Amino acid sequence: MENLKESELVIRAKEGDPTAFENLVERNYMLVYTISYKWCGTKEDAEDVTQEVFMKLSKNILYFKEESTFQTWLYRIAINTAKDLAKMNERKRKKESAYIEERKTSIQQQKESSLAERVHQMIENLPQKLKETAFLVFSEGMNHKEAAAILNCAEKTVSWRVFQAKRALKRNLERGESL
Amino acid sequence: MKDEEINKILQGVEIPEPDEIKKKATIKAVMTEFHQQKLSLQKNFKGIEEERRLRGKTKTFFTFLGEFAMKKSFIITGGATALVALLVVYFSVFMGPSLMMRVSTEQEPVSQSAGGRAEIRERDEAEKNEGVPRHDTFVDDSILEELIVKKLPVNPTEQRELGSVTAKADKETEGFTDADSLKNPSIIATKPMRSMAKTMAKRRPESAGRGASYSLQAPADDYRSNEYKDVGRDKFETIVTNPLKLVSEEPVSTFSVDVDTASYAFVRRQLNNGVLPQKNAVRVEEMINYFDYDYSVPADKSRPFQPTTALYQTPWNPDTRLLHIGIKGYDIVPEEKPVSNLVFLIDVSGSMNSHDKLPLLKNSFRLLVNTLDEDDTVSIVVYAGAAGTVLEPTKGNERGKILAALDQLQAGGSTAGGEGVRKAYELAEANFTKDGLNRVILATDGDFNVGIRDPEELKSFVERKRETGIFLSVLGFGQGNYHDALMQKLAQNGNGNAAYIDNLNEARKVLVDEASSTLFTIAKDVKIQIEFNPKLVAEYRLIGYESRMLKREDFNNDKVDAGDIGSGHSVTAIYEITPSTSKGKLVDDLRYSDKEEQAATTGSMEGEYAYLKIRYKLPDSEKSELLQTPINRENEYSRIDQVPADIRFAASVAAFGQLLRGGTFTAQFTYGDVIKLAESATGKDPYGYRHEFINLVRLAGSIR
């Protein structure tokens, strides 16, 4: 089981083989956790997202159609789950009255923080679509085609979004430096 | 800023190691979910289309056709109808006359020679052997089949298959020449219409049968092989059936009572699912004790019970006797019910997310809550990823509040059982009622994967808490992850009982009908010791109670924990004994034994089979009391039909339990015999439990 190829594991898992499935989960745990961490930024959230992703996987693997590769599919689930969690957190945060206060302090902190943290913060603040594209291309080091497969859109769209994201980042950084 | 810089910054994020425990919990939860999915898929299995997809077979021309058919069903149906119409027209107009002619000429030389018949048989054989119907070079056969087949409503799967048949038939039609019939005249000649009709008639059911066998066989290699026994994560302690003992070597048998009923409910569930339970899930004593028996009941609390004994011929072995010992606890009249302080400790972890777990649990507690009144208090503690109090102690008559709190519960996360147990005991202690009943009711599927994870540690925690006067009841739910061993351990050490809830009826039985016995303990640490008289009894064997055996010296040691009896609980123990005069002894007499010594009993002890001693403690006492009574010929029945029905019924349950465990000692006794025995002994059976039992035996018989 250990030395089987992932695609074979997927086929076996789809047939309902529990050991194959467990193996698949074990193998991809770090991958999903890493994606989730990069997206969420905290360990706790990342772990929650990871659990949720695998729950979704177990619900759907039996119906996985192999229209895309397994990894692409997993990425897609992971990103969508992370997005959902982010949305939920956002909603929660909005409810809290201290939101504005928090925002102010975070801007103040920004000045003192390192360039890396600032870049992160900026990606975080990009519009959803740009954010997920930037995330896949910059952070996961994917080429535009791969990202397009995951995001379920045309390669050109990815290229365009990357361009926009970069522009926005640069603009923000320059503005930050000039401040 | 350059792209590379951004990339470098983003890719160089430091990622903390994920938590191992959390990872394990995730994998566990995920596997449970996977399992559930598989089960539900198995239930909703809809034939080959899904099966092909599940197997991950690559796309073929036919799957393509199938998908096309699903997406464009209108076009397909229209097209098919048009095609059929065209073919009908074509054959009736152009081929019709020539066909008719050929058939009529063919039918003339129906010589029905012996050789011809043999040929038919051979052909039929060949067809059978090949499995797939052979497509003869018979134009009329294939045409007719095509016509018939086309007009029958077919599902997309068959339609695809038929596509190939049609194509083949078409080819054959084209390929058909008179030369063929000339070359092989005997075939044509000996194949009259009747046999064709027969082949076709056969062929339809065959293809129908094929369809059916897909849905039957496909699960067979995909899922059935993975059924309960292979993948079950239910954990049971291994039970080694009590061996036969020689009275001359070990005249005394000691055990603790057990009022749990979990095993019966679990067995019932398995049988209802069409699976024989695994042997270790069958605890015979729990099956026997599931039923209420009409034993004589003592008059007051100070002497909480009195034993009923009987001796009669073993239904499954004419050479031995059954010694039946029944105890029924003093039954509290409803007005006397003590004030109760209940803490529901509810597992809401991810694994509880199944219709037979959390929803059933909520309904079960609803039943219980409806029986409470204002003196009683209820609190609810839940545990999942973290433990928390959902309902602070609330009076029993504030039902709305309690029920609302129950309703809000949702399953999700891993299981911090240990933490939850602690919190529940804290609440129970905070709200302790001195003369009342203080009990933690734990409802779970038995999964404790966070917090105190070591069963031993949990066990000793519960054991320590027992001394504070708080009792523990364990209600088991669900399947696939059921941790029976741990739950038994907890209940046994927490002065409590364990029940398995497989449906709402069982919940009603445990929490409402028998609430008094489940909840109100009338005697603690009840131990039974029996000494057999070697003069009359040669061998004995205790049926069940494997996990409850005690050492001989434990009987008088009040420090040794044993089972508790609730109000109205009945406990039954059955020994199979071999009289010393019997021919059916399994162990031969010793050649060099001193026969004289055995005849030592004299006087009043003459005619005593055994001497029964029961030790118990009253709920608030730490010192045990002793009850003793001889079992002599007065308790003996010479014919089985004189034995009270209740006792006979217990024997039938004992027989059933032993059969499920492999039936080492039950000789030729069959499920049929169990049914006969039980049917003669159903008694009043107001709730229908005994009739249900008979049905279960029937099920078990048919599964085998």
Side-chain angles (χ1 to χ4, degrees):
Chain A
M1 200 60 81
E2 297 292 322
N3 38 30
L4 277 181
K5 263 198 253 154
E6 186 158 271
S7 56
E8 286 168 43
L9 281 180
V10 173
I11 290 173
R12 287 197 188 191
K14 277 180 56 176
E15 284 172 12
D17 179 352
T19 25
F21 183 67
E22 194 164 348
N23 217 289
L24 210 54
V25 176
E26 288 261 8
R27 270 192 209 190
N28 286 297
Y29 190 86
M30 261 324 273
L31 175 83
V32 174
Y33 171 76
T34 315
I35 305 172
S36 312
Y37 184 82
K38 284 183 186 166
W39 193 274
C40 307
T42 71
K43 194 177 153 208
E44 287 70 31
D45 282 354
E47 277 169 345
D48 280 352
V49 168
T50 311
Q51 181 165 36
E52 192 54 38
V53 169
F54 284 115
M55 285 304 258
K56 282 185 185 166
L57 182 70
S58 63
K59 279 192 188 118
N60 294 307
I61 185 134
L62 295 171
Y63 310 98
F64 174 49
K65 278 189 195 158
E66 292 182 79
E67 276 160 0
S68 53
T69 67
F70 178 71
Q71 283 232 339
T72 314
W73 191 52
L74 199 61
Y75 257 104
R76 205 182 286 162
I77 300 182
I79 287 180
N80 287 336
T81 315
K83 264 201 280 189
D84 288 348
L85 185 94
K87 252 187 238 161
M88 237 166 63
N89 286 349
E90 186 71 15
R91 236 177 276 142
K92 244 189 240 164
R93 226 185 301 152
K94 271 184 185 159
K95 275 185 192 162
E96 288 161 15
S97 53
Y99 175 56
I100 305 155
E101 285 293 320
E102 199 180 283
R103 199 44 193 260
K104 272 181 196 158
T105 48
S106 79
I107 291 172
Q108 274 171 3
Q109 275 168 3
Q110 240 181 58
K111 274 188 194 164
E112 294 142 25
S113 58
S114 71
L115 182 67
E117 275 165 6
R118 277 163 61 200
V119 171
H120 256 286
Q121 193 59 45
M122 276 166 197
I123 288 198
E124 197 67 24
N125 291 337
L126 284 176
Q128 270 300 332
K129 293 233 157 111
L130 294 189
K131 181 184 167 187
E132 64 191 27
T133 315
F135 172 74
L136 287 177
V137 175
F138 298 145
S139 179
E140 293 297 305
M142 285 185 183
N143 63 35
H144 294 188
K145 198 177 169 188
E146 287 163 339
I150 289 168
L151 297 171
N152 224 353
C153 63
E155 206 181 318
K156 287 224 171 112
T157 316
V158 173
S159 308
W160 172 244
R161 283 188 197 158
V162 168
F163 170 71
Q164 278 192 313
K166 271 190 210 158
R167 203 172 55 182
L169 283 179
K170 274 181 198 158
R171 209 185 289 144
N172 283 347
L173 277 177
E174 277 156 19
R175 204 190 298 149
E177 272 156 17
S178 67
L179 269 175
Chain B
M1 170 166 257
K2 281 177 197 156
D3 289 3
E4 288 81 46
E5 261 179 278
I6 301 181
N7 287 4
K8 222 170 119 192
I9 289 170
L10 284 168
Q11 281 172 20
V13 182
E14 255 181 56
I15 291 166
E17 278 294 301
D19 195 6
E20 257 322 286
I21 294 171
K22 178 89 185 180
K23 182 178 169 185
K24 277 195 185 130
T26 300
I27 290 179
K28 204 162 178 184
V30 163
M31 289 313 289
T32 319
E33 180 59 39
F34 181 67
H35 212 69
Q36 292 286 344
Q37 285 298 322
K38 225 170 74 181
L39 286 179
S40 75
L41 191 76
Q42 201 172 337
K43 237 183 252 166
N44 304 329
F45 187 71
K46 287 198 188 90
I48 187 163
E49 181 52 45
E50 286 190 6
E51 188 242 0
R52 193 190 298 274
R53 252 196 351 232
L54 291 180
R55 287 182 167 217
K57 284 211 177 118
T58 43
K59 275 189 188 168
T60 64
F61 174 65
F62 295 117
T63 49
F64 171 74
L65 267 189
E67 272 166 27
F68 183 70
M70 281 191 277
K71 282 176 197 154
K72 306 266 155 69
S73 61
F74 181 73
I75 298 173
I76 285 283
T77 339
T81 320
L83 190 68
V84 171
L86 259 175
L87 282 171
V88 169
V89 169
Y90 174 76
F91 284 116
S92 56
V93 172
F94 299 102
M95 301 286 283
S98 62
L99 247 180
M100 293 299 278
M101 274 170 66
R102 198 181 307 131
V103 168
S104 58
T105 49
E106 276 159 9
Q107 266 186 332
E108 270 168 36
V110 180
S111 51
Q112 295 285 354
S113 65
R117 278 208 205 106
E119 193 94 34
I120 296 177
R121 231 173 286 135
E122 259 176 42
R123 287 167 57 81
D124 284 353
E125 289 290 335
E127 274 189 17
K128 262 185 228 156
N129 290 345
E130 280 171 34
V132 186
R134 236 174 82 176
H135 296 286
D136 326 43
T137 48
F138 253 100
V139 65
D140 17 18
D141 194 351
S142 46
I143 294 165
L144 277 167
E145 169 158 324
E146 189 178 295
L147 293 182
I148 291 171
V149 151
K150 279 261 164 183
K151 281 184 181 161
L152 284 169
V154 281
N155 63 33
T157 330
E158 277 192 5
Q159 201 166 355
R160 269 204 323 270
E161 235 164 71
L162 283 172
S164 69
V165 173
T166 326
K168 217 170 168 186
D170 277 346
K171 233 186 282 159
E172 281 158 3
T173 320
E174 281 162 21
F176 179 84
T177 55
D178 279 349
D180 280 344
S181 57
L182 287 175
K183 252 187 271 165
N184 227 344
S186 66
I187 300 175
I188 297 169
T190 52
K191 185 117 185 194
M193 291 300 268
R194 201 159 36 89
S195 86
M196 270 167 47
K198 225 167 64 191
T199 350
M200 272 159 39
K202 219 164 56 194
R203 216 165 271 182
R204 283 309 301 160
E206 225 167 32
S207 60
R210 226 177 328 142
S213 72
Y214 275 130
S215 50
L216 283 176
Q217 270 170 12
D221 46 75
D222 264 45
Y223 312 106
R224 283 287 163 88
S225 53
N226 277 334
E227 230 171 30
Y228 173 70
K229 280 174 197 163
D230 291 342
V231 290
R233 289 162 161 247
D234 308 327
K235 290 181 201 132
F236 294 96
E237 206 106 298
T238 315
I239 304 173
V240 182
T241 311
N242 275 336
L244 184 96
K245 297 226 165 114
L246 280 176
V247 177
S248 53
E249 283 169 7
E250 206 176 313
V252 180
S253 166
T254 314
F255 63 94
S256 142
V257 296
D258 178 7
V259 291
D260 295 345
T261 57
S263 176
Y264 182 79
F266 194 84
V267 166
R268 173 175 60 199
R269 184 198 178 114
Q270 292 299 333
L271 289 174
N272 281 331
N273 282 348
V275 186
L276 282 178
Q278 42 173 287
K279 281 184 188 172
N280 288 332
V282 182
R283 282 185 296 272
V284 185
E285 79 278 11
E286 293 192 11
M287 295 185 66
I288 300 173
N289 287 333
Y290 180 84
F291 301 94
D292 188 33
Y293 302 102
D294 197 13
Y295 301 137
S296 58
V297 183
D300 70 309
K301 263 195 273 195
S302 59
R303 192 169 181 268
F305 38 71
Q306 73 181 61
T308 303
T309 53
L311 196 69
Y312 57 98
Q313 196 188 65
T314 311
W316 54 85
N317 186 350
D319 294 325
T320 61
R321 308 276 160 82
L322 287 188
L323 169 58
H324 181 107
I325 301 161
I327 299 168
K328 185 155 191 157
Y330 167 74
D331 207 351
I332 295 179
V333 194
E335 293 89 69
E336 281 183 48
K337 259 186 198 167
V339 176
S340 25
N341 160 29
L342 303 177
V343 180
F344 296 162
L345 174 54
I346 301 178
D347 180 353
V348 290
S349 63
S351 58
M352 290 293 282
N353 193 6
S354 159
H355 70 96
D356 58 353
K357 294 182 183 173
L358 197 59
L360 176 60
L361 182 156
K362 287 182 189 173
N363 287 330
S364 309
F365 279 142
R366 236 170 249 147
L367 293 175
L368 175 61
V369 168
N370 285 331
T371 64
L372 299 175
D373 50 40
E374 63 175 320
D375 295 330
D376 305 325
T377 41
V378 175
S379 341
I380 303 177
V381 176
V382 295
Y383 66 87
T389 311
V390 174
L391 183 73
E392 293 292 335
T394 305
K395 286 203 180 326
N397 58 351
E398 292 177 46
R399 265 170 221 159
K401 199 171 159 194
I402 303 173
L403 295 180
L406 267 177
D407 270 339
Q408 280 171 2
L409 302 180
Q410 269 184 349
S414 49
T415 321
E419 188 53 34
V421 172
R422 260 195 214 120
K423 235 182 199 144
Y425 272 101
E426 265 168 36
L427 272 183
E429 274 167 35
N431 222 30
F432 196 83
T433 36
K434 194 150 175 279
D435 298 318
L437 164 93
N438 299 284
R439 192 176 281 271
V440 173
I441 304 177
L442 166 62
T444 174
D445 58 353
D447 218 6
F448 292 87
N449 50 22
V450 177
I452 315 181
R453 255 167 304 157
D454 180 14
E456 285 304 311
E457 204 184 325
L458 205 58
K459 191 187 112 183
S460 62
F461 175 78
V462 170
E463 215 167 25
R464 280 198 305 278
K465 288 294 169 189
R466 182 178 76 204
E467 264 120 58
T468 60
I470 297 165
F471 291 59
L472 176 74
S473 284
V474 185
L475 304 179
F477 287 86
Q479 178 193 348
N481 210 3
Y482 182 53
H483 199 332
D484 181 76
L486 178 61
M487 319 232 312
Q488 289 289 325
K489 231 176 233 165
L490 282 181
Q492 281 178 24
N493 291 291
N495 266 3
N497 42 24
Y500 180 79
I501 311 280
D502 58 341
N503 57 43
L504 204 55
N505 266 330
E506 183 64 17
R508 178 186 299 279
K509 180 176 187 281
V510 172
L511 292 173
V512 181
D513 299 339
E514 294 173 2
S516 53
S517 41
T518 315
L519 303 177
F520 309 122
T521 305
I522 55 157
K524 307 189 287 190
D525 296 345
V526 184
K527 303 169 193 167
I528 295 181
Q529 185 164 64
I530 289 203
E531 184 187 346
F532 290 98
N533 179 356
K535 204 179 165 197
L536 291 178
V537 183
E539 299 157 0
Y540 70 90
R541 176 174 75 84
L542 176 58
I543 300 174
Y545 290 95
E546 280 83 3
S547 58
R548 299 293 186 137
M549 296 313 292
L550 293 177
K551 289 192 207 106
R552 190 171 166 180
E553 61 270 25
D554 290 343
F555 185 70
N556 290 327
N557 185 349
D558 284 353
K559 288 273 168 214
V560 176
D561 185 50
D564 307 327
I565 292 187
S567 144
H569 252 154
S570 56
V571 176
T572 302
I574 301 176
Y575 280 94
E576 183 177 352
I577 59 172
T578 318
S580 44
T581 51
S582 164
K583 279 175 255 158
K585 280 186 274 191
L586 288 177
V587 181
D588 293 333
D589 282 334
L590 289 178
R591 184 180 163 85
Y592 303 110
S593 72
D594 190 354
K595 291 243 164 58
E596 296 303 308
E597 206 186 321
Q598 281 196 6
T601 47
T602 48
S604 61
M605 282 178 260
E606 191 94 29
E608 271 183 26
Y609 279 101
Y611 198 67
L612 169 67
K613 288 191 268 187
I614 301 174
R615 257 193 196 287
Y616 63 91
K617 290 177 200 157
L618 289 173
D620 45 3
S621 154
E622 279 313 307
K623 216 178 147 299
S624 68
E625 321 260 337
L626 183 66
L627 253 171
Q628 41 196 346
T629 174
I631 296 161
N632 46 37
R633 294 221 157 101
E634 281 169 29
N635 304 100
E636 195 170 351
Y637 295 89
S638 54
R639 291 212 336 256
I640 191 157
D641 45 328
Q642 294 170 341
V643 180
D646 274 9
I647 293 177
R648 271 181 288 147
F649 188 78
S652 74
V653 182
F656 182 49
Q658 291 182 86
L659 283 177
L660 286 178
R661 289 189 45 78
T664 326
F665 292 100
T666 46
Q668 309 300 320
F669 214 64
T670 62
Y671 288 121
D673 298 324
V674 175
I675 295 172
K676 250 184 258 163
L677 184 62
E679 271 175 345
S680 72
T682 47
K684 269 186 270 166
D685 196 21
Y687 298 104
Y689 298 138
R690 295 190 183 185
H691 285 94
E692 183 192 33
F693 168 78
I694 294 170
N695 274 332
L696 282 188
V697 183
R698 281 203 193 101
L699 268 183
S702 62
I703 290 168
R704 234 192 1 184

